Every structure is written in C-alpha cells, then in structure tokens.
C-alpha cells in the first residue's frame, strides 16, 4: 500500500488518522503542494484531479479522502470506525460529507487568504501563473487566484468564514450531548472533521469556540489524547505552523468583523 500525500494537507491528515487507528504504515510519498508536485504528469496518472491524497493498493489508485477512509474501514474492519446501528451510521455519514459538500472549499479559501498566499507570493509571478494554469479544477484555481491576489479581502472569503461558522455551531450542539460526533464511539465522523478544526487552531482562530462552543475544544483535546492523533501531530511542518499562527492572529479582527455583519 502506498500513500501519496502532503504533511499539512487536511485531506491527508484525515486519511492518516484512519491509517494510524488501523495501525497501518503504507509506503509514503510526500508531495510539495507549493512546488506543484500534485499536477506533474506522473502524479496525474493516479489522481487526475491534481490533489492529495491518493492511496495506491496493488497498483490501483483510490482517490478522494472520504472514499479512501471507507475503503480502509472496509478492508481493515478492526477497530471499526463506522457505527453498527444504521441510524447512527447515517449520522456518521452526514458528518463525513460536510467537508466534501462545503467545508473543504471554505478551508482552502481561508488557508490561502490568510497564510498560504504568502508562500505563493514569494515565488516569481510566472511560476504562480504556471501553477494556477495547471490546476484541473477551475473553481479551485479561481479561489486560489483570488486569495493570492486579495488575501482576506477576496470576494470568496466572507462566505467561507460563514460556512465554517455554521459547521462549528452544528458541531458544538452535537458535542454537548455526546463525546464524539456520531455518538459514543469515535468514528469516521470525527476523523473527517478533526483536521478542519485543527487547521483553525493552527491559524490562531481557536477563539471561534470560546464562549458557547466550548464543547468543540473539549472534543479536540479528547481526540488529541488518542494515539492516532499522531496522523496529524507527527507531520507538522513548523515553518507552515509559524506562518499560520502569525498571519492568523493578524487576520483575527477582520474575521470578527465578517462574523458580526452576518
Ligand atoms: N475532495 C478531495 C479534496 C482533495 C484536496 O483538495 N486536497 C488538497 C490538500 S488538502 C490539495 O491537494 N490541494 C492542492 C491544490 O489545490 O493544488 C479529497 O477529499 O481528497
């Protein structure tokens, strides 16, 4: 089994949480997303979307982190990460869908608008243009273009912050009544959402769960106490984290202003 991934990628973190839970250690290939490794022809053969992660099993690629996690739970059912009860399993699936339907795009926009744009702006303009032109998904390309140029003032940012805010409210309500998102058992619901909350913490935005959303901070701490959190913690790139923390603090006031306007 081989994993093509990137250390700070939220989708790769999601898959690594599951791999660690199952005590699996695939051969790892690290892609540098700021050098455009994800759109090189040899990688596009595996993942035509030009994104990480991709799991390759016996030469066959599996793309999409949510699908990879389900594949891993199907193939290595012990310990199980999907609840047995069909109704609880449905709830788990609804949580696991949240990144795919809205939160991942919001995370991409916020991460670029606050932090990653600075890494891109350090490159020559022709290299930025080359990397953008090679992105297969036009929406992803446009979000990255806007946020590299305009940062937090890019038109797509305010809605992305509101998307995140709504998800946090839903999560906090659930976590007031159960320790994990789909109830009493840690599941693919938690592995799906943890990287997105951890990203906010890295961006110095954990104040988003102060006050009436403290159940999120407690859930995050509970998750950090589990051995599989190494799937996030052991891959931290300190240069990225330092940039995220610094630029996230600078962005805090604007984000608060956006949330007040809602
Ligand atoms: N829906 C995909 C999204 C994958 C994705 O967007 N991955 C990001 C990192 S978290 C990526 O590779 N970005 C590189 C780029 O956009 O150029 C999944 O869940 O696997």
């Amino acid at each position: 089994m081989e994993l093509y991934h990137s250390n700070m990628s939220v989708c790769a973190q999601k898959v690594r949480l599951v791999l660690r839970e199952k005590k699996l250690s695939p051969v790892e290939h690290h892609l540098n997303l700021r050098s455009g490794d994800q759109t090189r022809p040899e990688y596009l053969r595996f993942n035509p979307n030009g994104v990480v992660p991709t799991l390759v099993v016996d030469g066959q690629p599996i793309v999409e982190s949510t699908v990879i996690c389900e594949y891993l739970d199907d193939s290595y059912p012990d310990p199980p990460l999907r609840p047995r009860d069909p109704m609880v399993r449905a709830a788990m699936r609804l949580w696991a869908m949240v990144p795919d339907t809205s939160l991942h795009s919001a995370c991409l926009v916020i991460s670029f608008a606050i932090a990653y744009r600075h890494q891109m702006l350090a490159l020559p303009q022709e290299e930025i243009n080359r990397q953008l032109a090679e992105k297969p998904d036009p929406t992803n390309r446009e979000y990255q273009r806007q946020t590299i140029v305009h940062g937090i003032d890019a038109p797509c940012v305010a809605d992305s912050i509101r998307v995140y805010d709504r998800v946090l409210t839903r999560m906090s309500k659930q976590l007031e009544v159960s320790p994990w998102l789909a109830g009493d058992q840690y599941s693919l619901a938690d592995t799906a959402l943890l990287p997105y909350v951890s990203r906010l913490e890295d961006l110095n935005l954990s104040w988003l769960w102060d006050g009436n959303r403290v159940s999120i901070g407690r859930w995050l701490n509970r998750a950090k106490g589990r051995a599989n959190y190494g799937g996030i913690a052991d891959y931290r790139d300190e240069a990225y984290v330092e940039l995220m923390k610094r630029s996230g603090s600078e962005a805090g006031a604007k984000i608060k202003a956006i949330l007040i306007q809602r």
Side-chain angles (χ1 to χ4, degrees), residues 105-107 109-110 113-114 143 146-147 150-166 208 254-262:
S105 289
C107 181
V109 165
I110 291 170
I114 294 177
Y143 283 158
Q146 271 187 31
T147 51
H150 301 290
I152 198 127
D153 299 318
C156 53
V157 170
D159 278 348
S160 299
I161 289 169
R162 292 189 192 106
V163 164
Y164 240 118
D165 191 53
R166 274 201 306 276
L208 281 163
K254 281 200 173 175
I255 292 176
K256 281 187 183 140
I258 289 167
L259 287 171
I260 288 166
Q261 278 162 25
R262 131 181 67 161

Side-chain angles (χ1 to χ4, degrees), residues 9-11 33 38 50-53 64-65 100 104 135 140 144:
S9 142
V10 278
C11 301
L33 302 182
Q38 68 276 30
V51 290
V52 292
E64 288 296 329
S65 56
D100 298 333
H104 183 70
K135 295 205 181 302
N140 177 334
Q144 293 197 27

